[in-house]
Each structure stands twice: as structure tokens, then as C-alpha cells.
Amino acid sequence: MKMKQYIKITRCPYEEPHHLNLIIEASSGTSKGQLEYYCNATDLKDISYGISQFLDENLDEYKYEIGSEDPEKRFAHYLKIRIYKHD
């Protein structure tokens, strides 16, 4: 049975208003994962601005990264949000 596709973001109280603790859970329909993410509140503003630019300016891709894909350079977690056109 195929799972539902979704992205769920839960905000947990943490040193607000300047820092956020988010639980990000996502499912592709066949697999799912979860990440606990700490960030500055301004990061969400930057992400929302980037997504709106992607939509408004008809860009091919938007990417937000924090950390590194390379485990040797990674401090804690690695997060990449990548939005791109499909078809």
C-alpha cells in the first residue's frame, strides 16, 4: 500500500523569537524521513523569499542548503531544500 505524499513541519518552543526548533517530516509516497532542525528565525524569511522568487521569476531551480553533504565537513545535520520544475 502506497503512503501519502506530504511535508509536515512542527515548531517546538525553543529560545524564541530569534531561534527556532523545527521537526521536518516528509514522505515521497514510498519512503519517509524526519529531521530535527535548529535555525535562526530569519532563515525562514530567506527561504520564503527564495521560493517566492522561484515562482515569480519563473526560475528553473531554488536551493537552500545548510551544512555539507560531505560527512567530514558536517557539523551536525545537513539540510537541502531543492525546488525545481518537473515537466
Side-chain angles (χ1 to χ4, degrees):
M1 185 169 147
K2 189 171 181 174
M3 294 184 289
K4 182 178 174 183
Q5 296 178 354
Y6 66 90
I7 297 174
K8 178 182 173 187
I9 301 173
T10 305
R11 189 184 95 218
C12 303
Y14 177 79
E15 296 186 17
E16 294 187 14
H18 303 291
H19 299 98
L20 301 175
N21 175 9
L22 305 174
I23 307 295
I24 303 169
E25 185 177 326
S27 171
S28 67
T30 55
S31 61
K32 73 177 188 175
Q34 180 176 307
L35 171 72
E36 186 168 9
Y37 173 58
Y38 293 84
C39 66
N40 292 321
T42 56
D43 290 351
L44 294 183
K45 184 178 176 182
D46 296 342
I47 292 168
S48 65
Y49 178 77
I51 292 171
S52 67
Q53 291 297 102
F54 169 79
L55 296 171
D56 292 344
E57 296 182 14
N58 200 26
L59 301 175
D60 291 330
E61 179 181 75
Y62 166 73
K63 185 167 50 171
Y64 169 84
E65 285 183 279
I66 188 163
S68 173
E69 281 189 278
D70 181 353
E72 305 230 348
K73 295 180 182 177
R74 193 176 304 156
F75 171 70
H77 295 293
Y78 170 64
L79 173 68
K80 175 167 50 175
I81 298 171
R82 182 173 171 234
I83 299 171
Y84 57 93
K85 296 176 184 174
H86 186 273
D87 291 334

